[in-house]
C-alpha cells in the first residue's frame, strides 16, 4: 500500500438529510426535509463550490459524499454535484475514488445504477448489526434483510467496491450476536469493512437511555473481546487490517480515509463539513437553514477555522499516521517537515518504545499490537500540554 | 465605668439552638446596631461561618443598657460553638461572670448543652437558662424545664424566648443585670488582662481581645505578654459596638481589644496574661496552656507548582488562627506539601475548605491521624504525627494514643446501638444516666483516632439522627497499635500508611485494598495492591491491566474534535498523582476515611 503523494487531495461533501435519527448519532443530520429542501440545499452546495477560489495544485484522488444519508438525494442531484466538480476542475473523474454513503433501506438497483452512471464508484452501507432487535433499538431505518438486499442490488448495479459498517459494544449485545453479525456481513462478500466501537455521545437519546437505566452497555471487557474477535475473523476471511477500525480486500482500501491519516489536504463542501489544507483546519456552518442563507447572501459558508502551529501539525501527523496498521513513513515526515520524527519527538517516542507500544519497521514507525489496543494512550502523548 | 455597672457574659448552646440569633437580637435591642445595619448573625463574620452556622472566632460586643434608671455596660463575649475549640471556649468563659445557656424548645438538652454547662460551672459562672424557639409548632418548653431540673438547674427560672420573633429579649437583658455578678478585680493593682482571642488586621497588626482583670490599660502603655515575654507599645484601644470604636483606656472588669503593631497572632497566645512591662504583675492569671494540635493531616497541592501558593495561604490563615500549625513535609507519593496540625476534625475541615475556596487551591488531603506518644526501646520518647514516620516495631517499647471523654445523648431506645458503636470503636464504658424519661447520656472514654473514622456519621445513622455527641480531651494511654502500610506495585505509598489497633488492622487493610482496587483506574500493566503490617503482607488485590483504550469511531474529517477529546482525556489524567508509574486519583487518598470496620 503506497502512500499518497503529499499533494494528493480529496473533497468531502456532506449531505445531512436522514429519514430518522439513530439513537447513538451525533453527526450533523436533519430529519423531515422534502424534495424542495433537497434542491435548495444542493443549490447552496453548488454555490459554495463555485466560490472556492483556492484549489490544491496536486491530484484530486477522492470524493466522499457522506452524511446523514446521501442516498436520500435523488440521483439527479448527485449528478449535478459531480458534474460541477468536473467542470470547475476541468478534469475527468475517471481515476478518482468517489464514495457515497447509503442507507440500505433507501436504495434499489435502478436508483443505485443511476448513482453509478453519475460517477459514484464506491458504496458505503451502514449495516451496523445482524439482528433486527438491535437495529430497531438503535432506530435504524432498515432491517437485516434490506441490508442484504441492498448489497445485492449494488452488485447488480455495477458496484465492485462496497464497504459495510458494523458497530460493536451495543447495549445488551452478546458476543454470540457479534459473531453472527460478522458472519452475516462476511457472507455478503464486501470489499471493505469498518468495525466501529459504539461511542456514547453526550445529548444523544442513547446517552439518556443509559443514564436512566433503560439500556446497559456490555460489561467489563466484553467490548475488548468483540474488537479482538472482529479482527481475528476478518483476517481469517482474507481481509487486510490497514487502520484501527478499517479492513479491506487487498488493494481495496479507502483512499479517502487514508488522506485523513496521512495529512493530505481535503476540501469541505456542505453543512458541517471539515477541511484541511496548509496547516489550516476549517469547518462549515452546521445548521442547514443557516448554511443555505449564508450562501444565498453571498457568503462562503465557513463557520470557523484553526491554524496549526508547526509543532502541532507534526504532532497530529504522528498520531494520525499511527492509526494506520503500517504506521507512518519517516521519510514522508521528513519531506513534509524537514526534520526526522526522532529529532523532534525522540524522548516521547523512546518512552513509548520502551513500554512496548510503538516499534520501528524499516522506515516506518507503527503501533505494536499492544499499542493498537491502547492507541488513545499513545495518541495522548501527542496532544495538549505536557 | 464603675465595676458595679459592668456585666460580662457569654452565650453557650448546642449547635443550631439559636445562639447567634439571640446575640443579634440583644445587639439590636440595645441599639448597638440599627435594624438596617443588621446582617443576620453579625457576630459570625467569616463567610464560611455564616454558611455553616458555626462560630469560629470569638468576638466581644459592648452593649449599652438602661435598667431601672441606671446605665450598664454589658459585654457579650461570643464563644466558638464546637468541641474542637474547647480551650478557646474556656478562655472566653474565664473572661465572664455569667452565661446564658440557650436550649432549643423543641430539641431539648443536647450533648453540647451539657458540655458547655459543665465548662461554665467549672469557671464559677452564673448560668441563666434560656429556652429559645418557643414559637416553633413542636416547641415543648415544659419538657425542657424538666430536663433542666434533671441536670441540676432551676428550670422554672428559665426565660422563655423567641429570638426570631424578639420575644423575651428585654427580660433576658434584665436578668443579665440582676443575676450576673459584676466583676470584682482590684482597680489599684498592677495590670493583669486575660487574652481570650486575637485576630489579624492588615492595617493595625494583631488585635488582641482582652478582659481586664486587675488595674487598667491606656494607649501608650508598654505591655508584656507573660508567657512569651514579648513587649509592645499599645497604639490603639477599642471596643466593639460591634464595629470597632476606639477608647482611651480599659479599666478593671472591662472587655475590649488593643493593637500594638504585633506582626503575627503567634505572639499572642489565648489564655496568656497581659501586664505592664515596667511594672509587671507577680503572678499570671491561672489556666494558661498553649494550644496543642491533636489531629494532623498532610496537605499537598495537586499541581506541584502550587506549593508556593499553598505556603502563602497557610501563612495567611495562620495570621488569624494561632492553633493552626504546619511544617514542610515531603511524601514519596505526593511530592512537596505540608503536615498541618489542627485542634480537631472540624478545624481541619474549615481550614481545608478555606484553602480551596478562598485561595482557589486544589488539594490532596491525606486521611487525618492523631498524634502518638512513642516510647522507644532506647528510652527516648518521641511524638509521631505522621503514620509513615512511625519507627519499626522492633524499636518501639510502647505507643500511647490520645483519648477523649465522650458524652453521647440518645433516645433510650438507641442505647444498645450506641453502646455497640462505642465498643466497636474500643470505647471504655464509664457511666449511663437519664436526662429524662426518654433520653439517656452515655459516657465513654474513646480513642480520638477512632472517632475520626466516620464515627459521627455512624452515630447519626444508627440513632436515626437523634443522638448528639461531644468530647473533651482526656489523656494519652498505651494501646496495642500497629502501622498498616499499603503497597502499590510493590512500593509502600507513604500517604496511605496508618496506625491501627492490632485487632482491627487486618480487616482495615483488607477493605482498604478492595476499595483502592475500585478507585485506581486500570493502567498499562497489572498493578498489585497489598496491605502489610510490619512488613508482612496480609491482603492483596490486583488492578488488572487495561485491555483497550481506542477511539474507533470515525468523525469524518473532523480531526479537531478527535484531538479535543484526547486533550480532555489527558487533562483528566493530569489531575491524578503519579506514584512510581501508577496514576492514582485524588479520591483514593481519602478512601481510608470511608473504610468500614465491619
Amino acid at each position: 500500500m503506497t502512500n499518497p503523494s503529499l499533494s494528493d487531495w480529496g473533497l468531502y461533501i456532506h449531505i445531512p438529510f436522514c429519514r430518522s435519527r439513530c439513537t447513538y448519532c451525533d453527526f450533523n443530520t436533519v430529519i423531515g426535509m422534502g424534495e424542495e429542501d433537497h434542491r435548495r440545499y444542493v443549490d447552496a452546495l453548488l454555490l459554495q463550490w463555485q466560490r472556492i477560489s483556492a484549489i490544491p495544485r496536486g491530484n484530486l484522488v477522492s470524493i466522499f459524499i457522506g452524511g446523514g444519508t446521501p442516498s436520500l438525494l435523488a440521483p439527479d442531484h448527485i449528478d449535478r454535484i459531480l458534474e460541477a466538480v468536473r467542470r470547475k476542475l476541468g478534469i475527468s473523474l475517471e481515476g478518482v475514488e468517489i464514495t457515497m454513503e447509503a442507507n440500505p433501506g433507501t436504495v434499489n438497483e435502478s436508483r443505485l445504477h443511476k448513482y453509478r452512471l453519475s460517477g459514484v464508484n464506491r458504496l458505503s452501507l451502514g449495516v451496523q448489526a445482524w439482528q433486527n432487535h438491535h437495529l430497531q433499538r438503535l432506530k435504524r431505518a432498515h432491517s437485516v434483510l434490506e441490508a442484504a438486499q441492498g448489497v445485492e442490488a449494488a452488485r447488480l448495479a455495477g458496484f465492485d467496491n462496497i464497504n459495510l459498517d458494523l458497530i460493536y459494544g451495543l447495549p445488551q449485545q452478546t458476543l454470540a450476536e457479534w459473531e453472527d453479525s460478522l458472519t452475516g456481513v462476511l457472507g455478503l462478500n464486501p470489499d471493505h469493512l469498518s468495525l466501529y466501537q459504539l461511542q456514547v455521545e453526550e445529548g444523544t437519546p442513547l446517552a439518556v437511555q443509559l443514564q436512566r437505566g433503560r439500556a446497559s452497555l456490555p460489561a467489563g471487557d466484553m467490548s475488548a473481546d468483540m474488537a479482538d474477535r472482529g479482527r481475528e475473523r476478518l483476517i481469517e476471511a482474507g481481509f487486510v487490517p490497514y487502520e484501527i477500525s478499517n479492513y479491506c480486500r487487498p488493494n481495496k482500501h479507502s483512499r479517502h480515509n487514508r488522506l485523513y491519516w496521512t495529512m493530505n489536504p481535503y476540501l469541505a463542501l456542505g453543512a458541517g463539513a471539515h477541511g484541511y489544507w496548509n496547516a489550516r483546519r476549517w469547518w462549515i456552518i452546521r445548521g442547514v437553514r443557516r448554511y443555505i442563507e449564508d450562501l444565498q447572501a453571498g457568503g462562503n459558508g465557513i463557520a470557523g477555522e484553526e491554524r496549526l502551529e508547526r509543532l502541532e501539525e507534526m504532532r497530529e501527523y504522528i498520531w494520525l499516521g499511527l492509526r494506520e496498521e503500517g504506521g507512518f513513513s519517516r521519510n514522508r515526515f521528513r519531506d513534509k517537515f524537514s526534520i526526522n520524527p526522532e529529532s523532534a519527538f525522540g524522548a516521547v517516542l523512546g518512552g513509548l518504545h520502551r513500554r512496548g507500544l510503538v516499534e520501528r519497521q524499516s522506515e516506518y514507525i507503527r503501533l505494536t499490537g499492544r499499542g493498537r489496543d491502547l492507541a488513545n494512550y499513545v495518541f495522548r502523548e501527542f496532544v495538549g500540554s505536557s | 465605668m464603675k465595676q458595679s455597672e459592668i456585666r460580662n457574659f457569654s452565650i453557650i448552646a448546642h449547635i443550631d439552638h439559636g445562639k447567634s440569633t439571640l446575640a443579634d437580637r440583644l445587639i439590636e435591642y440595645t441599639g448597638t446596631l440599627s435594624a438596617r445595619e443588621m446582617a443576620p448573625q453579625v457576630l459570625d463574620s467569616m463567610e464560611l461561618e455564616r454558611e455553616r452556622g458555626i462560630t469560629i472566632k470569638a468576638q466581644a460586643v459592648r452593649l449599652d443598657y438602661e435598667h431601672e434608671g441606671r446605665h450598664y455596660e454589658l459585654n457579650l463575649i461570643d464563644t466558638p460553638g464546637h468541641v474542637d475549640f474547647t480551650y478557646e471556649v474556656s478562655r472566653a468563659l474565664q473572661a465572664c461572670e455569667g452565661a446564658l445557656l440557650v436550649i432549643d424548645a423543641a430539641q431539648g438538652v443536647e450533648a453540647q448543652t451539657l458540655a458547655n454547662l459543665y465548662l461554665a460551672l467549672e469557671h464559677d459562672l452564673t448560668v441563666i437558662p434560656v429556652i429559645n424557639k418557643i414559637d416553633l409548632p413542636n416547641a415543648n418548653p415544659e419538657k425542657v424545664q424538666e430536663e433542666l431540673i434533671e441536670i441540676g438547674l432551676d428550670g422554672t427560672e428559665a426565660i422563655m424566648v423567641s429570638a426570631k420573633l424578639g420575644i423575651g429579649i428585654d427580660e433576658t437583658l434584665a436578668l443579665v443585670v440582676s443575676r450576673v455578678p459584676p466583676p470584682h478585680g482590684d482597680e489599684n493593682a498592677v495590670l493583669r488582662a486575660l487574652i481570650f482571642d486575637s485576630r489579624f488586621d492588615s492595617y493595625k497588626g494583631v488585635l488582641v481581645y482582652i478582659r481586664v482583670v486587675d488595674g487598667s490599660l491606656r494607649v501608650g502603655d508598654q505591655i508584656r505578654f507573660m508567657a512569651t515575654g514579648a513587649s509592645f507599645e499599645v497604639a490603639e484601644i477599642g471596643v466593639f459596638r460591634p464595629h470597632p470604636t476606639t477608647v482611651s483606656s480599659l479599666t478593671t472588669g472591662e472587655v475590649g481589644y488593643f493593637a500594638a503593631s504585633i506582626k503575627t497572632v503567634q505572639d499572642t497566645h489565648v489564655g496568656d496574661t497581659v501586664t505592664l512591662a515596667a511594672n509587671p504583675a507577680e503572678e499570671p492569671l491561672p489556666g494558661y496552656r498553649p494550644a496543642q494540635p491533636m489531629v494532623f493531616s498532610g496537605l499537598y497541592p495537586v499541581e506541584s507548582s502550587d506549593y508556593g501558593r499553598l505556603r502563602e495561604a497557610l501563612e495567611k490563615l495562620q495570621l488569624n488562627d494561632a492553633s493552626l500549625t504546619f511544617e514542610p513535609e515531603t511524601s514519596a507519593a505526593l511530592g512537596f506539601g505540608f503536615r498541618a496540625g489542627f485542634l480537631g476534625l472540624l478545624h481541619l475541615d474549615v481550614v481545608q475548605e478555606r484553602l480551596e475556596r478562598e485561595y482557589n487551591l486544589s488539594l490532596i488531603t491525606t486521611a487525618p491521624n492523631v498524634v502518638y506518644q512513642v516510647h522507644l526501646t532506647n528510652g527516648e520518647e518521641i511524638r509521631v504525627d505522621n503514620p509513615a514516620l512511625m519507627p519499626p516495631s522492633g524499636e518501639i517499647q510502647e505507643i500511647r494514643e490520645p483519648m477523649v471523654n465522650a458524652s453521647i445523648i440518645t433516645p433510650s431506645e438507641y442505647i444498645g446501638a450506641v453502646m455497640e458503636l462505642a465498643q466497636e470503636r474500643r470505647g471504655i464504658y464509664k457511666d449511663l444516666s437519664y436526662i429524662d424519661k426518654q433520653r439517656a447520656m452515655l459516657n465513654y472514654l474513646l480513642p480520638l483516632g477512632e472517632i475520626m473514622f466516620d464515627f459521627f456519621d455512624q452515630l447519626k445513622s444508627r440513632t436515626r439522627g437523634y443522638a448528639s455527641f461531644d468530647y473533651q480531651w482526656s489523656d494519652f494511654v498505651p494501646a496495642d497499635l500497629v502501622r498498616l502500610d499499603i503497597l502499590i506495585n510493590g512500593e509502600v505509598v507513604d500517604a496511605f500508611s496508618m496506625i491501627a489497633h492490632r485487632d482491627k488492622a487486618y480487616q482495615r487493610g483488607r477493605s482498604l485494598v478492595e476499595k483502592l482496587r475500585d478507585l485506581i483506574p486500570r493502567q498499562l500493566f497489572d498493578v498489585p495492591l497489598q496491605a502489610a503490617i510490619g512488613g508482612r503482607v496480609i491482603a492483596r488485590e490486583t488492578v488488572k491491566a487495561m485491555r483497550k483504550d481506542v477511539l474507533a469511531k470515525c468523525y469524518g474529517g473532523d480531526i479537531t474534535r478527535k484531538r479535543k477529546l484526547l486533550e480532555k482525556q489527558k487533562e483528566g489524567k493530569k489531575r491524578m498523582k503519579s506514584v512510581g508509574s501508577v496514576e492514582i486519583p485524588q479520591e483514593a487518598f481519602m478512601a481510608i476515611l470511608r473504610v468500614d470496620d465491619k
Side-chain angles (χ1 to χ4, degrees):
Chain A
M1 200 168 62
T2 52
N3 282 315
S5 148
L6 281 174
S7 61
D8 286 353
W9 62 283
L11 174 63
Y12 178 81
I13 302 171
H14 193 74
I15 307 298
F17 307 113
C18 279
R19 273 212 307 228
S20 60
R21 198 168 172 90
C22 307
T23 61
Y24 55 88
C25 178
D26 75 333
F27 284 155
N28 191 29
T29 62
V30 53
I31 56 172
M33 297 278 175
E35 183 53 36
E36 179 57 20
D37 301 301
H38 293 178
R39 194 191 53 73
R40 283 167 30 115
Y41 181 76
V42 173
D43 287 348
L45 201 135
L46 294 178
L47 275 177
Q48 194 206 338
W49 173 242
Q50 272 146 33
R51 290 194 188 127
I52 292 177
S53 52
I55 301 283
R57 226 174 314 152
N59 294 321
L60 173 69
V61 296
S62 165
I63 298 171
F64 194 100
I65 306 169
T69 313
S71 52
L72 282 180
L73 278 195
D76 284 356
H77 289 310
I78 299 293
D79 197 58
R80 284 171 66 205
I81 295 169
L82 293 177
E83 183 51 35
V85 174
R86 239 178 244 117
R87 204 176 320 125
K88 174 156 179 161
L89 299 178
I91 55 166
S92 142
L93 296 181
E94 208 57 16
V96 179
E97 174 186 287
I98 303 177
T99 307
M100 190 175 96
E101 291 185 326
N103 185 305
T106 60
V107 290
N108 55 40
E109 186 192 333
S110 95
R111 192 173 174 102
L112 287 170
H113 188 66
K114 288 177 188 154
Y115 292 131
R116 184 72 193 84
L117 286 179
S118 303
V120 177
N121 52 28
R122 186 172 180 270
L123 201 66
S124 178
L125 289 165
V127 177
Q128 316 309 12
W130 204 253
Q131 294 79 23
N132 283 330
H133 64 270
H134 281 308
L135 295 175
Q136 280 157 16
R137 186 179 285 144
L138 297 172
K139 295 248 157 52
R140 293 288 301 171
H142 62 88
S143 64
V144 173
L145 181 64
E146 281 169 322
Q149 287 168 343
V151 175
E152 177 78 20
R155 291 291 184 209
L156 290 171
F159 282 97
D160 59 2
N161 196 354
I162 298 175
N163 167 63
L164 303 179
D165 285 346
L166 275 187
I167 304 180
Y168 61 88
L170 299 174
Q172 280 92 13
Q173 189 180 27
T174 65
L175 198 55
E177 286 175 332
W178 175 239
E179 292 272 7
D180 288 346
S181 292
L182 291 164
T183 308
V185 292
L186 286 170
L188 299 176
N189 201 21
D191 304 277
H192 186 285
L193 279 165
S194 298
L195 307 188
Y196 295 125
Q197 182 180 6
L198 179 73
Q199 300 281 320
V200 180
E201 303 289 351
E202 235 174 276
T204 56
L206 174 66
V208 175
Q209 286 169 12
L210 291 168
Q211 267 161 26
R212 300 201 175 146
R214 297 216 189 102
S216 58
L217 296 177
D221 287 335
M222 175 83 86
S223 252
D225 290 338
M226 290 179 179
D228 288 346
R229 196 64 196 123
R231 184 179 167 92
E232 281 164 24
R233 288 285 305 275
L234 267 46
I235 290 173
E236 276 166 27
F239 280 81
V240 181
Y242 72 96
E243 194 265 346
I244 284 178
S245 32
N246 288 300
Y247 302 80
C248 65
R249 293 283 180 201
N251 299 317
K252 288 288 184 76
H253 57 267
S254 156
R255 287 166 88 175
H256 192 83
N257 251 333
R258 291 207 64 216
L259 294 176
Y260 297 149
W261 319 133
T262 53
M263 267 188 126
N264 278 76
Y266 49 93
L267 301 186
L269 267 189
H274 284 246
Y276 165 74
W277 184 24
N278 274 344
R280 174 173 170 257
R281 294 198 182 283
W282 71 94
W283 44 94
I284 308 302
I285 297 167
R286 264 179 84 94
V288 171
R289 183 177 305 161
R290 284 205 303 112
Y291 171 76
I292 293 172
E293 282 167 3
D294 185 73
L295 271 302
Q296 284 175 347
N300 61 9
I302 292 178
E305 65 163 44
E306 62 171 2
R307 299 242 167 221
L308 299 179
E309 302 282 328
R310 184 162 171 276
L311 176 69
E312 200 50 53
E313 209 181 8
M314 287 195 286
R315 300 210 297 176
E316 283 198 2
Y317 187 92
I318 291 181
W319 69 262
L320 289 170
L322 285 173
R323 288 190 67 98
E324 297 212 274
E325 184 84 4
F328 68 92
S329 154
R330 296 172 62 246
N331 293 338
R332 199 170 181 276
F333 184 94
R334 201 178 44 236
D335 290 346
K336 189 169 166 75
F337 299 110
S338 313
I339 186 174
N340 275 322
E342 289 90 344
S343 312
F345 302 103
V348 179
L349 287 168
L352 290 169
H353 179 70
R354 270 194 304 282
R355 276 169 278 174
L357 299 173
V358 300
E359 63 191 7
R360 196 172 136 180
Q361 208 171 50
S362 63
E363 69 114 359
Y364 279 84
I365 294 176
R366 50 177 273 178
L367 294 175
T368 60
R370 182 71 176 138
R372 234 180 4 253
D373 286 343
L374 302 177
N376 278 1
Y377 180 93
V378 175
F379 299 166
R380 281 195 292 268
E381 300 276 333
F382 299 96
V383 303
S385 57
S386 31
Chain B
M1 181 64 72
K2 279 188 280 184
Q3 284 189 60
S4 60
E5 287 159 5
I6 299 173
R7 297 291 182 276
N8 295 321
F9 72 105
S10 65
I11 308 177
I12 52 183
H14 189 76
I15 189 159
D16 283 342
H17 281 200
K19 182 175 84 167
S20 300
T21 315
L22 178 60
D24 286 353
R25 281 302 156 272
L26 299 180
I27 291 167
E28 196 180 65
Y29 188 88
T30 54
T32 309
L33 213 58
S34 71
R36 189 176 49 79
E37 285 178 289
M38 293 289 292
Q41 309 192 353
V42 289
L43 289 189
D44 300 351
S45 57
M46 274 191 282
E47 179 196 359
L48 198 60
E49 289 182 18
R50 219 168 264 177
E51 271 180 29
R52 294 188 159 205
I54 51 170
T55 311
I56 299 160
K57 299 297 287 185
Q59 269 200 2
V61 179
R62 179 176 288 189
L63 314 172
D64 294 309
Y65 181 62
E66 299 282 339
H67 182 64
E68 293 173 352
R70 286 175 71 185
H71 179 83
Y72 291 91
E73 170 188 315
L74 310 184
N75 292 302
L76 165 56
I77 297 173
D78 200 18
T79 57
H82 190 270
V83 25
D84 285 355
F85 304 95
T86 305
Y87 179 69
E88 292 192 359
V89 175
S90 81
R91 292 312 87 187
L93 294 182
Q94 200 185 332
C96 303
E97 278 77 33
L100 297 172
L101 178 66
V102 179
I103 305 120
D104 184 308
Q107 308 287 328
V109 171
E110 300 273 13
Q112 269 181 305
T113 316
L114 282 174
N116 282 318
L117 169 65
Y118 296 146
L119 215 48
L121 294 177
E122 250 175 62
H123 290 93
D124 293 325
L125 301 195
T126 300
V127 175
I128 304 171
V130 172
I131 300 178
N132 188 26
K133 307 196 193 180
I134 54 163
D135 56 299
L136 287 182
N138 56 339
N140 192 347
E142 293 77 22
K143 182 163 176 289
V144 178
Q145 281 179 322
E146 282 167 29
E147 289 177 4
L148 287 170
I149 292 164
E150 287 288 329
I151 60 173
L153 290 172
D154 188 351
T156 56
E157 280 195 0
I159 316 168
M160 297 296 165
V161 168
S162 165
K164 193 172 127 205
L165 303 180
I167 299 168
I169 302 304
D170 183 52
E171 200 189 341
T172 304
L173 289 163
L175 269 180
V176 167
V177 169
S178 60
R179 294 273 318 277
V180 175
H184 40 70
D186 184 348
E187 286 170 42
N188 303 313
V190 184
L191 170 70
R192 286 203 301 175
L194 172 77
I195 302 179
F196 62 86
D197 198 7
S198 62
R199 90 168 26 187
F200 185 78
D201 179 287
S202 39
Y203 297 105
K204 298 169 184 168
V206 177
L207 304 183
V208 186
Y209 295 27
I210 54 164
R211 149 78 191 266
V212 179
V213 177
D214 295 318
S216 57
L217 179 73
R218 285 173 196 81
V219 173
D221 279 349
Q222 192 76 25
I223 55 96
R224 171 179 297 166
F225 296 122
M226 294 186 79
T228 63
S231 266
F232 297 92
E233 187 186 313
V234 174
E236 181 184 314
I237 298 178
V239 297
F240 294 96
R241 288 172 177 277
H243 303 303
T245 312
T246 53
V247 296
S248 55
S249 69
L250 287 175
T251 60
T252 306
E254 287 191 314
V255 171
Y257 73 89
F258 72 87
S261 305
I262 304 167
K263 298 282 189 300
T264 80
V265 288
Q266 268 58 39
D267 288 326
T268 63
H269 292 212
V270 168
D272 195 358
T273 303
V274 182
T275 189
L276 294 177
N279 181 18
E282 282 177 21
E283 288 287 320
L285 297 163
Y288 169 72
R289 66 175 165 85
Q292 277 282 11
M294 299 304 289
V295 171
F296 289 82
S297 172
L299 301 178
Y300 291 85
V302 171
E303 295 284 337
S304 51
S305 57
D306 277 343
Y307 177 79
R309 286 215 303 130
L310 175 56
R311 172 193 292 278
E312 278 166 34
L314 282 167
E315 279 165 356
K316 279 197 189 134
L317 287 185
Q318 211 179 34
L319 285 177
N320 256 331
D321 185 349
S323 44
L324 169 68
T325 65
F326 63 92
E327 53 187 54
E329 173 183 81
T330 314
S331 154
L334 301 174
F336 293 102
F338 297 93
R339 179 132 297 247
F342 308 91
L343 296 174
L345 283 176
L346 178 87
H347 189 204
L348 178 153
D349 227 28
V350 167
V351 168
Q352 187 188 341
E353 207 168 317
R354 291 190 65 189
L355 287 171
E356 298 202 332
R357 186 187 301 199
E358 292 171 31
Y359 297 92
N360 207 11
L361 286 159
S362 186
L363 296 179
I364 292 182
T365 315
T366 63
N369 58 272
V370 298
V371 61
Y372 298 95
Q373 275 183 355
V374 181
H375 295 260
L376 300 176
T377 46
N378 66 8
E380 243 183 276
E381 188 195 312
I382 57 169
R383 279 170 81 88
V384 175
D385 60 19
N386 181 348
L389 300 178
M390 183 63 78
S393 53
E395 296 173 22
I396 296 174
Q397 175 112 49
E398 184 180 80
I399 304 177
R400 290 164 172 263
E401 65 176 336
M403 302 293 284
V404 294
N405 285 312
S407 21
I408 300 159
I409 293 184
T410 174
S412 27
E413 69 248 54
Y414 300 117
I415 289 175
V418 171
M419 292 179 95
E420 198 178 41
L421 174 64
Q423 241 124 54
E424 282 166 21
R425 302 304 174 105
R426 300 191 282 124
I428 298 164
Y429 171 82
K430 292 205 309 201
D431 56 47
L432 166 71
S433 54
Y434 282 86
I435 292 175
D436 54 33
K437 289 188 190 76
Q438 286 89 37
R439 294 196 307 161
M441 179 163 80
L442 282 152
N443 284 308
Y444 271 89
L445 191 62
L446 272 166
L448 179 60
E450 290 285 342
I451 57 178
M452 298 205 307
F453 291 92
D454 76 347
F455 180 83
F456 194 63
D457 291 344
Q458 281 291 325
L459 182 68
K460 285 285 177 192
S461 81
R462 294 187 196 194
T463 61
R464 295 172 174 240
Y466 281 115
S468 62
F469 166 64
D470 195 37
Y471 66 83
Q472 278 176 335
W473 158 243
S474 166
D475 203 358
F476 280 94
V477 304
D480 189 7
L481 301 170
V482 292
R483 173 170 142 188
L484 176 66
D485 288 321
I486 298 296
L487 292 82
I488 294 183
N489 209 19
E491 283 174 49
V492 173
V493 179
D494 52 8
F496 285 121
S497 294
M498 64 164 123
I499 307 296
H501 193 265
R502 190 181 299 278
D503 296 346
K504 298 179 155 195
Y506 180 83
Q507 189 48 47
R508 209 165 249 181
R510 265 236 71 76
S511 38
L512 187 55
V513 289
E514 277 167 23
K515 194 117 203 165
L516 289 175
R517 181 198 56 205
D518 297 337
L519 284 172
I520 295 177
R522 294 166 76 167
Q523 319 268 322
L524 289 187
F525 41 85
D526 279 359
V527 179
L529 309 174
Q530 296 160 299
I533 297 171
R536 196 172 63 86
V537 172
I538 53 145
R540 184 191 158 108
E541 291 286 339
T542 304
V543 178
K544 289 291 220 188
M546 192 178 355
R547 273 283 301 277
K548 299 250 182 211
D549 182 4
V550 191
L551 189 67
K553 181 172 169 175
C554 191
Y555 292 108
D558 189 355
I559 305 301
T560 309
R561 175 169 177 182
K562 263 193 163 73
R563 191 188 65 227
K564 284 187 174 150
L565 191 75
L566 290 166
E567 282 168 357
K568 204 171 143 196
Q569 291 173 349
K570 187 167 186 170
E571 276 308 305
K573 300 267 175 205
K574 263 207 243 164
R575 282 195 293 274
M576 296 197 219
K577 277 280 172 184
S578 276
V579 177
S581 44
V582 181
E583 284 165 340
I584 305 179
Q586 275 169 268
E587 54 273 27
F589 292 98
M590 289 307 283
I592 298 183
L593 280 180
R594 296 186 302 267
V595 169
D596 295 336
D597 273 333
K598 283 190 282 187

